[in-house]
Amino acid sequence: ADTAQIGMPEMPRGSFGQIATSTLFHSGVPIKKAAYMALTARNVSGVEADRLGLVSLCVPEAELEATTNGIAMEIASRHAVPLQHHKIAVQMGRDLSLKEAMRVDQLVGARQARGMDPVADIEAYLKSQKGGTNLAYKRPDVG
C-alpha cells in the first residue's frame, strides 16, 4: 500500500540486519539509499519502496486487497506447470551470466516438457491461459 512503511530497524536494536542487509544491497537499490535506510533505520513509504524496486507494485491502501486478490486470481488462472517452471528458472538463473541462465532455461524447459506438452492439444493449452488468447479470433484476410 502507498501508506506502508518499509525499513530496517535493526541498527538501533544492536544488529546490522543479518540477511536483510545483503538482500537490500543486492536488490538493485542504489547503495546510497540502501545505506541510508540501514544506518538511520528510517522507513520509506510504499510509494518510495516501489520507486526503488523493493516491492512489485504500490497501490492506494483502499485498493490493496482488491488489487492483490485480482493479481492472485490472474496468476492462479494460468497452467500450473509453466508457473512452477518459471519460478524454478528465475530462482536458479537470477545471479548467473546470460549464457549460464540460458542453459538453465534449456534444462528447465526440458523438465517442463515432461510435465506438459503445449503443442499436443493446442486448444486446451490456450484455454488454460485465461486472458491470454482469444480462441474465436479469425484473421480478417482469411475466409
Side-chain angles (χ1 to χ4, degrees), residues 115-133:
M116 70 172 292
D117 180 0
V119 296
D121 184 355
I122 291 176
E123 189 168 322
Y125 175 75
L126 293 176
K127 284 181 181 177
S128 77
Q129 303 303 299
K130 294 182 177 78
T133 303

Side-chain angles (χ1 to χ4, degrees), residues 1-3 5 32 34 53 57 78-79 82 86-88 90 97 103-104 109-110 125 135:
D2 56 354
T3 57
Q5 292 294 303
K32 288 181 179 183
L57 178 69
R78 305 289 182 199
H79 196 291
H86 174 76
K87 291 177 184 180
I88 291 168
V90 167
S97 69
R103 179 71 179 133
V104 166
Y125 175 75
L135 295 174

Side-chain angles (χ1 to χ4, degrees), residues 93 95-105:
D95 295 325
L96 301 177
S97 69
L98 177 59
K99 183 177 179 179
E100 292 168 325
M102 291 175 73
R103 179 71 179 133
V104 166
D105 282 355

